[in-house]
Amino acid sequence: MARAFVYVILGGGVAAGYAALEFSRRGISHGELCIISEESVAPYERPALSKGYLLPEAPARLPYFHTCVGAGEQRLTPEWYKEHGIELILETTVKSANVKQKTLTTENGETISYRTLIIATGARALKLEEFGVRGSNAEKVCYLRNLNDADRLVDVMKSCVGGNAVVIGGGYIGMECTAALVTNRIKVTMVFPGAHCMVRLFTQKIASFYEGYYESKGVKFIKGTVVTSFENDSEGKVTAVILKDGTRLPTDMVVVGIGSRANTSLFEDQLTIEKGGIKVNNLMQTSNSSVYAVGDVAAFPVKLFNGDTRRLEHVDSARKTARHAVAAIMGPRNTSDLDYVPFFYSRVFTLAWQFYGDNIGDVVHYGDFTKGKFGAYWVNKGRVVGAFLEGGAKEEYEAIARVVKLKATVKGKDVVEGQGIDFALRA
Ligand code: FDA
Ligand code: NAD
């Protein structure tokens, strides 16, 4: 079987949904665009999976978090795609690609050809087996990347209420899933190799606040070590986690969040790869001019960082790079360069933080860490390059984004420290 489309989006995640909306706004004819996804549902806001989806009361469920509600836009239900003549080819894995012939081949042997391809294959969760630890396929050991994983995690949590969980990894998944487990009345021990949680972004001082808050909820931390094996019962269900120093942690369930890898494998011998992603220019175009890459899989030049190539694994960049690629594909030849300010955020328990920019240079902390209203500026060569804020109001978050975009000049670190959030509000 063979089918042909003008535009093909490979991957049906966040970026695919935002790209589809942009295509429809710019005007495409019925039958010109398809989305191929190995998932069984239309694109949805993936961040919901580690937050609202895991709540014990009134959890978020589809169709309520289909894209593009996360950015306050229309909710694109399966009916929307039908009405707009956009074909959703779901539960279909693409097994090979040929960018010279402009074809994709699915696991069923179907060939789908395109004039323009957008690669939006996102990333996958790293498995413990990739670090030489066996046994993470045991029952009640959970990863979290897609809806199926989230459903499984919900079922496992339900079976462990009142029991114990070990969370392996102290990054985004580890922190957000621990909060969800506690809310589901499961006692958590977090294990990770770093000196503190969220080691890629937080300073020790910022991390101490969150760790203290988690400890007040009964969470235990075991830092600076890794898991080496699991123990299972006769039915293959996990019963304990063994650490490098031999410590045995009896448990009813495990959640693993040890990082992710971009899904580049279909294109590695055909397109330029950089920083673990598919390298694109400032129009999101790859080394083949008919192929674009967006979202987690794309390594793109960040103008704010003097064109330095970055691969960002965050929802805001998936949304914006997707829209920008479609603008470049369908818009005038002189589509302006993407002018992006990297933006990360998280919400756990009643806490919420946002970060903009880059975490390089010297750090100036400010605010009241005891009251949960604090922040930090990262200052490089006398200018603000990054800003973090916990517990901010809308206009304060907008202000820290602005201060980073402006690369505000810092006259003295003590001045900024004294002014705190006012430094951003006045910029
Ligand atoms: P995404 O992973 O969304 O989609 C990729 C799609 O491609 C999937 O549908 C996949 O099945 C499909 N695919 C891959 N290979 C394929 C193939 N060969 N054939 C067919 N289909 C294929 N970020 C943030 O800023 N704030 C947050 O709070 C969160 N929270 C969060 C929670 C959880 C649980 C996760 C896993 C991630 C987050 N993120 C986040 C990160 C954010 O969700 C992520 O950056 C975006 O989903 C990236 O969007 P993409 O479309 O690039 O990939
Ligand atoms: P991460 O990179 O944030 O954290 C990985 C953690 O695992 C770190 O604490 C690291 O020290 C630890 N680790 C690494 N190797 C290990 C090993 N062998 N054993 C034990 N621990 C190990 O990755 P993640 O938390 O798995 O998140 C996966 C993806 O999901 C990322 O792309 C992330 O951006 C995305 N995500 C984002 C959000 C958000 O932005 N709020 C929320 C959830 C997920």
Side-chain angles (χ1 to χ4, degrees):
M1 219 170 97
R3 278 191 275 183
F5 292 87
V6 181
Y7 310 109
V8 170
I9 301 172
L10 172 55
V14 172
Y18 284 78
L21 183 61
E22 193 65 29
F23 270 120
S24 89
R25 283 191 175 148
R26 287 174 182 266
I28 46 163
S29 302
H30 282 222
E32 280 190 338
L33 169 65
C34 81
I35 294 176
I36 312 172
S37 175
E38 59 194 1
E39 295 193 74
S40 59
V41 293
Y44 57 87
E45 302 284 357
R46 200 165 300 280
L49 298 185
S50 53
K51 303 174 190 67
Y53 206 84
L54 303 181
L55 292 175
E57 306 288 338
R61 288 291 178 266
L62 288 174
Y64 294 102
F65 59 95
H66 279 302
T67 56
C68 302
V69 290
E73 303 269 9
Q74 252 176 296
R75 185 160 55 96
L76 312 185
T77 57
E79 296 71 40
W80 181 90
Y81 290 93
K82 208 173 252 171
E83 279 162 23
H84 289 77
I86 297 169
E87 189 149 352
L88 284 178
I89 304 176
L90 301 178
E91 293 184 83
T92 301
T93 303
V94 167
K95 284 288 182 201
S96 65
N98 187 326
V99 300
K100 283 207 179 100
Q101 289 176 6
K102 300 190 175 189
T103 56
L104 303 172
T105 306
T106 72
E107 62 196 333
N108 306 324
E110 184 182 10
T111 301
I112 295 175
S113 58
Y114 59 83
R115 195 173 77 197
T116 303
L117 173 67
I118 298 183
I119 304 169
T121 46
R124 64 176 177 81
L126 277 170
K127 295 275 149 86
L128 276 167
E129 279 68 8
E130 295 171 67
F131 296 89
V133 179
R134 280 182 297 172
S136 81
N137 55 352
E139 240 187 84
K140 305 212 175 181
V141 177
C142 303
Y143 288 85
L144 182 58
R145 182 73 207 179
N146 57 35
L147 201 62
N148 291 343
D149 296 336
D151 283 335
R152 184 159 175 268
L153 178 55
V154 166
D155 286 347
V156 172
M157 283 196 303
K158 277 186 185 154
S159 70
C160 294
V161 172
N164 294 291
V166 173
V167 170
I168 303 174
Y172 288 95
I173 293 282
M175 294 302 280
E176 293 183 7
C177 286
T178 293
L181 288 159
V182 170
T183 310
N184 281 277
R185 292 192 289 118
I186 296 166
K187 295 179 271 305
V188 183
T189 302
M190 290 186 76
V191 180
F192 49 83
H196 59 75
C197 68
M198 293 290 294
V199 78
R200 287 196 294 151
L201 178 63
F202 289 0
T203 62
Q204 174 73 59
K205 190 172 168 75
I206 294 174
S208 293
F209 168 81
Y210 293 98
E211 288 177 9
Y213 189 94
Y214 274 50
E215 278 164 348
S216 76
K217 301 276 180 188
V219 175
K220 294 197 177 90
F221 288 91
I222 302 180
K223 305 178 208 174
T225 191
V226 288
V227 169
T228 50
S229 61
F230 295 99
E231 278 178 16
N232 302 335
D233 66 13
S234 56
E235 288 163 1
K237 200 164 65 189
V238 72
T239 51
V241 163
I242 313 297
L243 306 184
K244 202 173 180 180
D245 66 358
T247 304
R248 181 177 179 277
L249 303 173
T251 195
D252 301 300
M253 65 176 287
V254 172
V255 177
V256 187
I258 55 168
S260 59
R261 282 282 177 280
N263 290 319
T264 56
S265 62
L266 294 172
F267 301 96
E268 274 165 17
D269 53 351
Q270 305 181 68
L271 301 174
T272 306
I273 303 290
E274 194 175 311
K275 296 197 170 160
I278 297 173
K279 185 176 166 61
V280 295
N281 63 17
N282 43 30
L283 299 177
M284 311 311 293
Q285 196 172 31
T286 69
S287 49
N288 178 303
S289 62
S290 304
V291 182
Y292 292 70
V294 296
D296 282 10
V297 77
F300 66 99
V302 179
K303 209 169 162 183
L304 187 72
F305 305 157
N306 303 316
D308 191 25
T309 301
R310 298 290 170 99
R311 195 176 68 75
L312 302 173
E313 298 173 344
H314 293 274
V315 75
D316 183 64
S317 91
R319 293 168 180 157
K320 289 182 177 151
T321 56
R323 289 186 145 168
H324 190 69
V326 178
I329 292 165
M330 300 197 68
R333 274 183 195 282
N334 59 350
T335 301
S336 57
D337 293 349
L338 181 65
D339 192 6
Y340 185 62
V341 179
F343 166 44
F344 317 149
Y345 71 90
S346 185
R347 292 189 299 273
V348 285
F349 298 111
T350 55
L351 305 174
W353 60 260
Q354 295 191 7
F355 172 85
Y356 294 86
D358 207 1
N359 58 336
I360 56 163
D362 298 330
V363 188
V364 183
H365 296 97
Y366 64 85
D368 190 341
F369 280 71
T370 60
K371 295 205 174 107
K373 182 76 194 282
F374 61 89
Y377 299 108
W378 277 257
V379 181
N380 196 30
K381 297 180 186 151
R383 285 171 170 259
V384 174
V385 295
F388 177 96
L389 179 61
E390 164 63 47
K394 188 168 176 281
E395 63 275 14
E396 292 172 331
Y397 287 127
E398 284 165 2
I400 63 162
R402 195 169 55 242
V403 93
V404 169
K405 194 171 171 80
L406 292 171
K407 296 187 184 171
T409 304
V410 173
K411 297 231 169 67
K413 278 186 251 160
D414 48 339
V415 178
V416 187
E417 191 177 1
Q419 290 182 350
I421 189 63
D422 285 342
F423 174 76
L425 287 166
R426 285 181 204 151

